[in-house]
Amino acid sequence: GFNAILPGTSFTSTDASGCITLQFLSDAGAGNGTGWAASLSCEYLCTPLPSYPANNGTSCFGATSPLSWPSNPVATGYDVYFGSTNNPPLVAANQPGASYNPGPLTYGTYYWKVVTIFPGNIPCPNPIVWSFDVVANPIADASSNSPICDGQSFSLFGNNLDPLQTVGNSYQWSGPNAFNDVFQNPVIGNASPLNGGTYTLTVTNQSGCEATTTTLVSIIPLPALNILSQTDVGCTGGSDGAFTIEVTNGPGIFLFDENGNTNFDGVFTN
């Protein structure tokens, strides 16, 4: 099936175990005087790129995902090298799985490489040293101008308080009454008690690291007034009348005003 291949040429076929090169030789090249001959060589390849984290990429502080790389179906194991220098030490020899958990990592740059072990205890040559940076998460802060009265507008305020992460942040809000917004400081108009409750803010910095926090918004219902009692004046033009006003909803202490006459108990006389 190789009639179209000229003597002295070669082609490369890559499979799961490495790189297989076949070279078809002429009579003279074969050295046997007649017919055709082929030479076969096999070079076992190391993994070119990791799965996580990406080479020269980042990992967020506190991330729990292990280091990982594409598995090789014919590999018998992997030697893992990991450390804070560009010549990392061996930390796991001939381990079976295609992942390694280095444990909690502090901020900084880390280097690692994986040597694939093939049948016959053959290591792949010239493994590539990868690197990644462990970076800080945002310091998410959420607040509002709450409490407000029913029917008023209120604002939500989001921020990343890390002084080294002042640019490149994105914001995602969610909250009561199916609220969602991607503005840093959204405004909700004509608020009702349905808009009251806990609002959640997720801040994502330019490295893709996230932090979440919440803020509570209180919507105060408007007072509902009722005349609790009333005493009419005895005669026209008299000043012996009185009335008492009560609030039938809403918390707190109320200030009552009747034509400039104010008090906190709602009792007025004339």
Side-chain angles (χ1 to χ4, degrees), residues 1-261:
F2 298 106
N3 295 332
I5 300 176
L6 298 176
T9 62
S10 65
F11 72 93
T12 299
S13 174
T14 302
D15 65 7
S17 63
C19 177
I20 299 175
T21 301
L22 297 176
Q23 185 176 19
F24 291 84
L25 306 173
S26 65
D27 290 349
N32 58 11
T34 60
W36 294 90
S39 64
L40 172 65
S41 64
C42 188
E43 179 185 359
Y44 294 100
L45 300 180
C46 292
T47 302
L49 290 172
S51 298
Y52 177 85
N55 189 27
N56 298 318
T58 58
S59 178
C60 302
F61 182 76
T64 57
S65 298
L67 311 181
S68 61
W69 56 93
S71 62
N72 190 309
V74 299
T76 60
Y78 304 92
D79 288 346
V80 182
Y81 296 75
F82 179 83
S84 57
T85 66
N86 59 8
N87 186 24
L90 177 68
V91 292
N94 201 26
Q95 72 159 47
S99 65
Y100 172 77
N101 192 342
L105 299 176
T106 58
Y107 304 123
T109 301
Y110 294 88
Y111 300 86
W112 62 302
K113 66 180 180 181
V114 174
V115 177
T116 305
I117 309 299
F118 292 96
N121 200 31
I122 299 175
C124 70
N126 304 316
I128 300 172
V129 177
W130 307 312
S131 68
F132 66 93
D133 293 324
V134 174
V135 297
N137 296 314
I139 303 175
D141 179 72
S143 60
S144 74
N145 63 336
S146 164
I148 63 160
C149 294
D150 188 352
Q152 293 181 327
S153 298
F154 70 91
S155 297
L156 297 170
F157 305 104
N159 201 6
N160 180 357
L161 298 182
D162 190 321
L164 301 180
Q165 301 181 29
T166 57
V167 297
N169 298 295
S170 62
Y171 300 85
Q172 176 65 59
W173 288 94
S174 63
N177 205 26
F179 176 79
N180 281 282
D181 208 312
V182 295
F183 286 101
Q184 180 178 358
N185 302 314
V187 177
I188 294 87
N190 194 27
S192 75
L194 292 176
N195 300 114
T198 299
Y199 286 77
T200 301
L201 170 66
T202 299
V203 180
T204 305
N205 63 19
Q206 59 185 351
S207 298
C209 301
E210 296 182 349
T212 299
T213 189
T214 61
T215 187
L216 182 64
V217 171
S218 297
I219 311 295
I220 307 300
L222 298 177
L225 302 181
N226 179 58
I227 298 178
L228 181 63
S229 63
Q230 176 178 324
T231 302
D232 296 331
V233 294
C235 297
T236 302
S239 58
D240 57 346
F243 63 91
T244 299
I245 300 295
E246 68 171 350
V247 176
T248 58
N249 72 321
I253 298 174
F254 297 93
L255 177 65
F256 298 87
D257 182 285
E258 190 255 338
N259 296 327
N261 180 20

